[in-house]
Amino acid sequence: MQVSIACTEQNLRSRSSEDRLCGPRPGPGGGSGPKARAALVPRPPAPAGALRESTGRGTGMKYRNLGKSGLRVSCLGLGTWLTFGSQISDETAEDVLTVAYEHGVNLFDTAEVYAAGKAERTLGNILKSKGWRRSSYVITTKIFWGGQAETERGLSRKHIIEEIVRAMTYVINQGLALYWGTSRWGAAEIMEAYSMARQFNLIPPVCEQAEHHLFQREKVEMQLPELYHKIGVGSVTWYPLPCGLITSKYDGRVPDTCRASIKGYQWLKDKVQSEDGKKQQAKVMDLLPVAHQLGCTLAQLAIAWCLRSEGVSSVLLGVSSAEQLMEHLGALQVLSQLTPQTVMEIDGLLGNKPHSKK
């Protein structure tokens, strides 16, 4: 479990380049167990028209409300996990961020644990150098695994000012954030947080960040839509192409140029070469005719497929180059082609559509 917080313009200006985006540097973190997700968000956004102008007119980007809040976010966001501060250079990170912003992306996601804090600092330094209007983009970060000491991780008062719901309410009331959400929480835990907020006149979460792709469907397709309708909690999903597994580039092997061959990614190589991984690769190849019929790549098809799910506010993309980002943004044109018949065909090929247990 994680929690999300949002930084205001004043909060960001007050930080040096060595500070984290989310306020005073929290104590170290790490460990296991529930994570509270802190999403950094900006001041109330400008009107929709002005927002589109600030991030690229005529790009085709679509904007959705974050859950049932009034915050408008691009339906495709940019994630920094495994890339910023680690896999790619700062120059490449700046190129990627610039292309994303100019093509309408206004949601940038990070976490205090990504690259041991370097991802947050890299993102913050780039944004500072760009001088973009602070009200034109949204930053989300996550709290739980922060530093090394016991006082620098988890969701204690020491780490995030107060325990979860009360902490997030305090952060928002102090002007350090505008919204908060959860990440990797169960539906029952989100409902409990909402009920507690209502009982004690606190601020409830507005979104859940969840893993969602062609082979991970249950939570986003069966559990979260109910929360969206009942209490307005939307979804920000991640991992639409699980480290490239849904791109056909592996095709039963691990090329030297792919991420699975990089030192430190043995877990990904093992996953690709496992029995489940091989079965998934076979399913991916079965989808190639559908992608060809729609005139798109497998990656674009998979991202568009994620966007069609009910209650999904934004799908986070993880890319290592501006060229890769441009390809993935092409999923916006594919989304309109995903007719009910096409979705049924995909479900038939995958054979893993979740069904209600009621």
Side-chain angles (χ1 to χ4, degrees), residues 221-296:
E221 297 182 40
M222 299 303 298
Q223 300 174 22
L224 295 184
E226 184 176 2
L227 290 182
Y228 174 73
H229 289 295
K230 283 185 176 180
I231 60 177
V233 171
S235 306
V236 174
T237 68
W238 54 280
Y239 224 34
L241 307 174
C243 287
L245 287 174
I246 305 176
T247 58
S248 78
K249 69 180 181 182
Y250 290 109
D251 191 19
R253 59 191 179 87
V254 181
D256 294 337
T257 56
C258 72
R259 181 176 289 164
S261 64
I262 299 175
K263 183 179 179 180
Y265 288 84
Q266 183 63 41
W267 59 270
L268 179 56
K269 187 174 184 178
D270 292 342
K271 184 174 183 179
V272 171
Q273 296 178 331
S274 69
E275 285 303 312
D276 283 344
K278 292 176 182 178
K279 290 178 181 178
Q280 290 178 0
Q281 288 303 297
K283 296 285 186 182
V284 166
M285 300 309 293
D286 289 342
L287 293 175
L288 269 175
V290 179
H292 291 160
Q293 181 182 355
L294 298 179
C296 66

Side-chain angles (χ1 to χ4, degrees), residues 64-99:
R64 299 174 177 177
N65 286 51
L66 184 61
K68 292 188 178 179
S69 75
L71 182 64
R72 300 282 286 175
V73 295
S74 52
C75 66
L76 292 177
L78 180 65
T80 61
W81 180 50
L82 300 180
T83 52
F84 279 42
S86 56
Q87 183 182 338
I88 62 177
S89 67
D90 290 356
E91 291 75 18
T92 299
E94 182 173 353
D95 288 342
V96 167
L97 196 67
T98 302
V99 169

Side-chain angles (χ1 to χ4, degrees), residues 101-119:
Y101 185 81
E102 290 177 348
H103 284 79
V105 175
N106 75 348
L107 176 61
F108 308 127
D109 179 76
T110 186
E112 62 177 1
V113 73
Y114 293 171
K118 292 180 181 178

Side-chain angles (χ1 to χ4, degrees), residues 217 221 287 290 294 301 304-305 308 335 337-350 353:
R217 306 182 56 173
E221 297 182 40
L287 293 175
V290 179
L294 298 179
L301 175 62
W305 180 89
R308 108 270 179 236
L335 179 60
Q337 302 179 61
L338 287 184
T339 63
Q341 291 75 17
T342 302
V343 173
M344 285 181 62
E345 182 180 358
I346 293 173
D347 284 338
L349 291 171
L350 293 174
K353 182 179 180 179

Side-chain angles (χ1 to χ4, degrees), residues 165-185:
V165 181
R166 196 173 297 278
M168 295 300 103
T169 299
Y170 177 87
V171 167
I172 291 171
N173 287 340
Q174 291 296 306
L176 301 174
L178 296 183
Y179 302 89
W180 79 277
T182 59
S183 178
R184 303 174 70 179
W185 284 32

Side-chain angles (χ1 to χ4, degrees), residues 2-42:
Q2 304 177 27
V3 202
S4 294
I5 319 176
C7 286
T8 63
E9 184 175 2
Q10 179 181 6
N11 177 261
L12 282 177
R13 279 202 303 256
S14 68
R15 305 296 174 224
S16 70
S17 61
E18 291 300 312
D19 287 330
R20 300 274 174 87
L21 285 173
C22 300
R25 185 177 182 183
S32 57
K35 298 183 278 182
R37 164 186 169 79
L40 297 177
V41 243

